Amino acid sequence: MRTKQVNFLIAFAAVVLFSFSCFCISRMTQTNNQLINCRNHILEFKENMLRLKNKTETNRQELMKTLNRMKDEIEQRENLSARLVEKKVNTSDKIETVTNAFEILKFFLPHLRKVGRIYPNVIIGKEKTGVSFALGIPTVNRGNHTYLKQTLTSIVSRMTLSEENDSVVIVSIADSNEDYVKSVVDMITKKFRKQVKSGSLEVISIPAYFYPTMLHDKESTEDSEKLERWKTKQVLDFCFLMLYAQPKAMYYLQLEDDIIAKKSYFTTITDFVHNITSNNWFSIEFSVLGFIGKLFKSADLTDFVQFFLMFYKDKPIDWLLGYIFQIKMCHPGETTEKCIERNREIRIRYKPSLFQHVGIQSSFPGREQRLKDIYY
């Protein structure tokens, strides 16, 4: 009996031990699975953190690139703004300089004192400045006759490309006839497109308010009075064009709208000016006719204009040009020969002439002008 009890206890203990072992093994397996799951979560978290870190670095780099681009754009805009401001200031300075040059007109022409800003109507122009030569060509309506296209063709076609780049041709329309103004502009924009595009050819018109009231009078039928008004207006036309051209170039060459030029005339002028040993000259004449082919230093133009304006009602402009030299160089009591000799030092004559007058119909209505330069 006792043996059976012992065996039962042993069996029971074995069952309990087995059950406990199974329970322990089950718990250990469960714990191990949890540990594995935990480790997997940790690895997954680690991987997520690594991806997040990589993504953050990528985002940081993109952000830096974006910031750098924004910085570059801001700098470019600031530089552009600075250049635009500088250009605006420079343009304003140029306009202000020219405007100030025109202010001397108010001293001699009282009716302009009521005008604020005196400035031509710039029809075609690119504000070309800093060149060696400005060539001025005033033009007026001659009715059914016109020589301007022939003149411009001769002037611009006989320049080299470098000479064209170092000069500006200014056509000044001194006529209020709207049809004539339109015809000049249309002709120039079609026939001389390259020069217009490069800024080497400009077209301006003189505003009607510039002229004194007496020049607007159309009532007089006396030819002598009309001729006097025509001569007076011509002096003012030249003065206005000179003042506009002065700040553009070192030298100013006065031409007319009915002339032709010799081949290589511009090269000849340039070489002659550069080879003059003395800088005391006031003008160089490349034609003996009227006011054609007269070269001035731009720095001296204001003095010439002031003298012309003092006597614009009294004499034609070519006469006034002779008088200014006589006043400058002739002393009371000296011989005429001595005066002429000194006059030649500042009023240089170049031969042969480089320009020829070809117009027949004068700008004065109904009058013919057949003058030719015998030294051409």
Side-chain angles (χ1 to χ4, degrees):
M1 185 67 183
R2 184 171 291 186
T3 304
K4 287 181 179 181
Q5 289 179 346
V6 170
N7 289 336
F8 175 77
L9 290 172
I10 293 172
F12 179 77
V15 171
V16 172
L17 182 61
F18 176 76
S19 298
F20 180 74
S21 298
C22 290
F23 174 78
C24 288
I25 291 171
S26 175
R27 293 295 296 175
M28 289 178 63
T29 301
Q30 186 178 2
T31 303
N32 187 51
N33 290 337
Q34 289 178 345
L35 288 173
I36 291 173
N37 290 335
C38 183
R39 186 188 66 176
N40 290 337
H41 284 306
I42 291 172
L43 290 175
E44 185 179 354
F45 177 76
K46 199 173 178 182
E47 289 176 359
N48 290 336
M49 290 297 294
L50 183 60
R51 283 197 299 269
L52 182 60
K53 180 181 179 182
N54 293 334
K55 187 175 181 179
T56 302
E57 179 63 23
T58 302
N59 291 339
R60 188 187 71 83
Q61 293 177 358
E62 290 296 327
L63 180 60
M64 290 301 297
K65 290 180 181 178
T66 303
L67 291 174
N68 288 332
R69 283 198 299 268
M70 291 176 63
K71 182 179 179 182
D72 292 339
E73 289 178 2
I74 291 172
E75 289 179 354
Q76 290 175 4
R77 289 179 181 178
E78 289 178 348
N79 292 334
L80 179 61
S81 298
R83 288 196 297 271
L84 290 174
V85 171
E86 182 179 359
K87 182 177 180 181
K88 184 177 181 181
V89 170
N90 290 338
T91 302
S92 300
D93 289 343
K94 291 175 185 176
I95 294 175
E96 188 64 28
T97 299
V98 177
T99 304
N100 289 338
F102 281 105
E103 286 299 305
I104 67 168
L105 295 172
K106 295 182 179 181
F107 182 81
F108 299 97
L109 303 171
H111 71 283
L112 293 178
R113 293 170 191 171
K114 298 178 181 179
V115 178
R117 176 177 175 266
I118 304 173
Y119 199 69
N121 301 317
V122 181
I123 303 173
I124 298 173
K126 297 236 177 136
E127 299 180 0
K128 190 174 183 180
T129 59
V131 295
S132 294
F133 292 89
L135 291 71
I137 304 176
T139 185
V140 294
N141 187 8
R142 299 173 190 256
N144 295 327
H145 299 80
T146 178
Y147 309 98
L148 181 60
K149 182 168 72 172
Q150 179 184 9
T151 296
L152 285 176
T153 301
S154 175
I155 293 300
V156 303
S157 66
R158 292 171 179 175
M159 291 182 184
T160 66
L161 180 60
S162 61
E163 289 170 347
E164 185 178 312
N165 292 335
D166 195 29
S167 63
V168 56
V169 178
I170 307 165
V171 176
S172 175
I173 305 176
D175 200 298
S176 59
N177 185 304
E178 293 183 2
D179 292 335
Y180 180 68
V181 173
K182 185 178 184 302
S183 69
V184 170
V185 173
D186 289 345
M187 182 272 292
I188 289 178
T189 52
K190 291 176 182 177
K191 300 295 183 181
F192 304 96
R193 187 177 304 169
K194 181 172 74 73
Q195 288 76 18
V196 169
K197 186 176 180 180
S198 69
S200 297
L201 179 56
E202 296 188 6
V203 180
I204 66 172
S205 65
I206 301 177
Y209 67 74
F210 167 66
Y211 301 103
T213 306
M214 55 174 274
L215 297 182
H216 296 286
D217 183 15
K218 305 294 183 182
E219 299 299 324
S220 176
T221 57
E222 294 291 332
D223 286 345
S224 59
E225 291 183 16
K226 291 180 179 179
L227 183 60
E228 288 302 313
R229 288 205 304 271
W230 173 77
K231 291 178 180 179
T232 297
K233 178 181 177 297
Q234 194 176 59
V235 176
L236 295 177
D237 293 344
F238 282 117
C239 290
F240 197 94
L241 178 52
M242 285 178 166
L243 291 177
Y244 177 75
Q246 183 182 36
K248 290 180 170 292
M250 185 178 298
Y251 303 102
Y252 174 76
L253 179 64
Q254 183 64 64
L255 300 172
E256 294 186 7
D257 65 345
D258 58 349
I259 58 98
I260 58 172
K262 274 191 174 180
K263 185 178 180 181
S264 301
Y265 78 96
F266 202 94
T267 304
T268 302
I269 291 174
T270 303
D271 292 343
F272 186 76
V273 171
H274 291 164
N275 289 327
I276 294 178
T277 55
S278 172
N279 197 40
N280 294 328
W281 60 273
F282 277 87
S283 80
I284 304 175
E285 301 182 2
F286 294 97
S287 172
V288 297
L289 296 181
F291 213 46
I292 297 171
K294 304 304 186 284
L295 182 75
F296 306 93
K297 287 177 283 191
S298 294
D300 296 330
L301 286 180
T302 301
D303 292 338
F304 283 103
V305 169
Q306 288 178 339
F307 185 84
F308 296 152
L309 290 173
M310 287 175 64
F311 305 102
Y312 76 94
K313 296 179 183 178
D314 304 311
K315 292 290 186 288
I317 196 162
D318 51 333
W319 287 30
L320 293 176
L321 184 62
Y323 289 144
I324 192 172
F325 290 119
Q326 184 176 351
I327 291 171
K328 278 182 172 293
M329 302 308 295
C330 297
H331 303 311
E334 74 174 354
T335 63
T336 304
E337 292 77 11
K338 188 67 176 177
C339 177
I340 293 175
E341 180 182 345
R342 248 197 337 273
N343 202 348
R344 287 172 181 163
E345 296 175 2
I346 64 170
R347 189 179 187 182
I348 301 172
R349 174 77 180 90
Y350 179 87
K351 291 183 181 180
S353 296
L354 299 181
F355 304 98
Q356 180 62 284
H357 179 260
V358 295
I360 295 177
Q361 177 61 49
S362 171
S363 57
F364 181 72
R367 182 181 181 184
E368 291 188 353
Q369 183 64 277
R370 298 180 179 270
L371 287 176
K372 296 294 180 182
D373 190 329
I374 61 174
Y375 298 105
Y376 179 77

